[in-house]
Amino acid sequence: MSGLWRPVSGVVLTAGLLTACGGGGGSASPPAQGAGPRVSVENCDGEKAVFDSPPGKIVTSNASALEMLLRLGAGARVIGTGFPPGKGALPAELADQASDVPVLGRTVIPKEKLLGSGADVYVQTFRPANGTSTGPRPEEFDAAGVKVVELLSTACATARHPGPQKDLSAVMGDIERLGTLTGTSDRADEIVAGMRERVGAVGERVAAVPEAERPTYFVFDFDAGTKQPSAVCGGQVANAVITLAGARNVFRDCGGTFEKTGWEDVVAENPDWIQLTVRNRGSAEADEKAFDEAERFLESFPATRGLTAVKKERFLRIRSERMTTPSVANAETVERIARTLYPNKFQDVR
């Protein structure tokens, strides 16, 4: 083998979600040396990263792990990050904290900077593919005194959870694991409870829709290129978001997380809805320009202009970061997609 959403008024399905899913209410100070209980966090291979106390110096591989730590109130312990969040990617209260975190790499952190950062732990969102990594080897991390903690929902999702991801349990598990790591488990429990409440409320509204009647859904990753589209496969976090929202990802059965496909495969599926997806451009205006370009492509490209979703203008506009990386935003996006696909089921919600 081998979205675009028009903004609508914001919605909170149940009371208390803004508190549970919002900012961390400030960053916790780094723990004193030797303070706190011994902590242990399991990685993809089953081995555990063990610390005598919650680590006080953390480096994150990208904005996803950074956002989780900020929401947990552990932002003051983050001494560097790669792939920093773009402007407008985070809520204002988190963006201010994120701006204080040193950027060690606009993309992947150079090995020398990472090993020389003085970090106690490196939180890695994605595990590099075999043979493609230029990052530190395990023995180099050991020599530098840096332990690695992986986000299981993305670093090893297909290995630990074979088959399509259908819920956000792995993402919630990562938040809980980082809560254990940083000694902020109470805050992690609050965040996870808020996510469950939001997703559960959506589930109650779409539960009666039979599987066969749920709309089909294609994620068009505009930034991945237009010559050969990229399929979001079942192993990706985005598949869980789509499923929970009451839709059927047309490429849920392909292996792994992403796979190159062909436009003929998209045409054969003829999706009911198409999500236009772009990376953060640094401003709402730049994002909308990119979304417009993606929509114009589908409307003018001979292979796609006859698709049901294109002819009926069934587009959602959702940035990639809210779908394909683990985040509290995953739960928010579940609600956003469901409201668009099932407006009649949300008429009683502001």
Side-chain angles (χ1 to χ4, degrees):
M1 182 190 66
S2 17
L4 283 201
W5 175 84
R6 303 289 184 187
V8 298
S9 59
V11 168
V12 176
L13 291 178
T14 50
L17 290 181
L18 287 177
T19 300
C21 293
S27 296
S29 300
Q33 187 66 30
R38 185 178 178 87
V39 295
S40 174
V41 180
E42 185 174 320
N43 282 319
C44 292
D45 51 15
E47 293 187 4
K48 295 182 178 180
V50 180
F51 304 83
D52 291 333
S53 62
K57 296 180 179 179
I58 305 171
V59 168
T60 54
S61 68
N62 73 356
S64 177
L66 173 60
E67 179 182 351
M68 287 185 180
L69 291 167
L70 292 173
R71 289 185 183 274
L72 288 168
R77 307 184 204 175
V78 184
I79 62 171
T81 191
F83 287 100
K87 185 178 180 181
L90 298 177
E93 67 274 15
L94 298 182
D96 290 343
Q97 297 176 49
S99 65
D100 293 332
V101 176
V103 176
L104 302 184
R106 300 305 305 182
T107 56
V108 177
I109 301 173
K111 179 167 70 172
E112 296 75 16
K113 281 192 175 182
L114 178 53
L115 294 176
S117 65
D120 302 315
V121 60
Y122 174 56
V123 180
Q124 182 168 272
T125 301
F126 294 99
R127 175 178 278 193
N130 291 337
T132 65
S133 175
T134 58
R137 298 186 301 275
E139 60 269 24
E140 292 176 312
F141 276 120
D142 289 343
V146 181
K147 296 182 179 180
V148 178
V149 167
E150 297 170 307
L151 297 189
L152 304 187
S153 60
T154 45
C156 53
T158 55
R160 294 179 68 97
H161 309 284
Q165 289 200 59
K166 297 181 180 180
D167 58 44
L168 294 178
S169 58
V171 176
M172 296 175 188
D174 279 333
I175 294 172
E176 291 170 338
R177 290 169 64 249
L178 291 184
T180 297
L181 176 71
T182 58
T184 57
S185 290
D186 288 347
R187 176 61 185 151
D189 290 344
E190 292 177 8
I191 293 171
V192 168
M195 292 178 69
R196 286 202 180 105
E197 191 172 1
R198 185 184 291 270
V199 171
V202 171
E204 290 176 1
R205 291 168 184 266
V206 304
V209 183
E211 177 70 17
E213 296 178 15
R214 297 190 173 202
T216 54
Y217 196 95
F218 169 56
V219 178
F220 173 37
D221 187 345
F222 184 58
D223 290 334
T226 57
K227 290 185 177 180
Q228 187 177 17
S230 178
V232 170
C233 299
Q236 231 289 322
V237 170
N239 188 75
V241 173
I242 296 167
T243 302
L244 291 167
R248 292 178 291 159
N249 174 17
V250 295
F251 293 120
R252 62 191 177 278
D253 293 329
C254 67
T257 54
F258 297 99
E259 182 178 301
K260 283 295 184 181
T261 186
W263 284 115
E264 65 275 11
D265 296 312
V266 178
V267 172
E269 295 291 345
N270 193 19
D272 297 311
W273 288 86
I274 295 177
Q275 175 182 311
L276 306 181
T277 295
V278 301
R279 275 71 166 167
N280 185 290
R281 296 296 202 270
S283 70
E285 293 77 12
D287 289 348
E288 286 304 307
K289 181 180 179 181
F291 283 135
D292 289 342
E293 292 173 358
E295 185 170 338
R296 283 196 298 269
F297 169 80
L298 292 176
E299 291 173 336
S300 61
F301 187 50
T304 56
R305 63 190 179 196
L307 293 174
T308 297
V310 175
K311 290 192 294 184
K312 294 186 176 182
E313 297 184 342
R314 290 178 176 169
F315 298 117
L316 294 89
R317 299 187 172 204
I318 300 176
R319 286 208 314 263
S320 175
E321 297 87 352
R322 302 185 65 83
M323 287 281 287
T324 60
T325 57
S327 168
V328 169
N330 299 154
E332 298 165 355
T333 305
V334 168
E335 180 184 319
R336 182 172 170 180
I337 294 173
R339 279 179 53 83
T340 304
L341 273 54
Y342 301 99
N344 292 339
K345 295 183 179 295
F346 291 84
Q347 288 179 334
D348 62 322
V349 183
R350 289 188 301 106

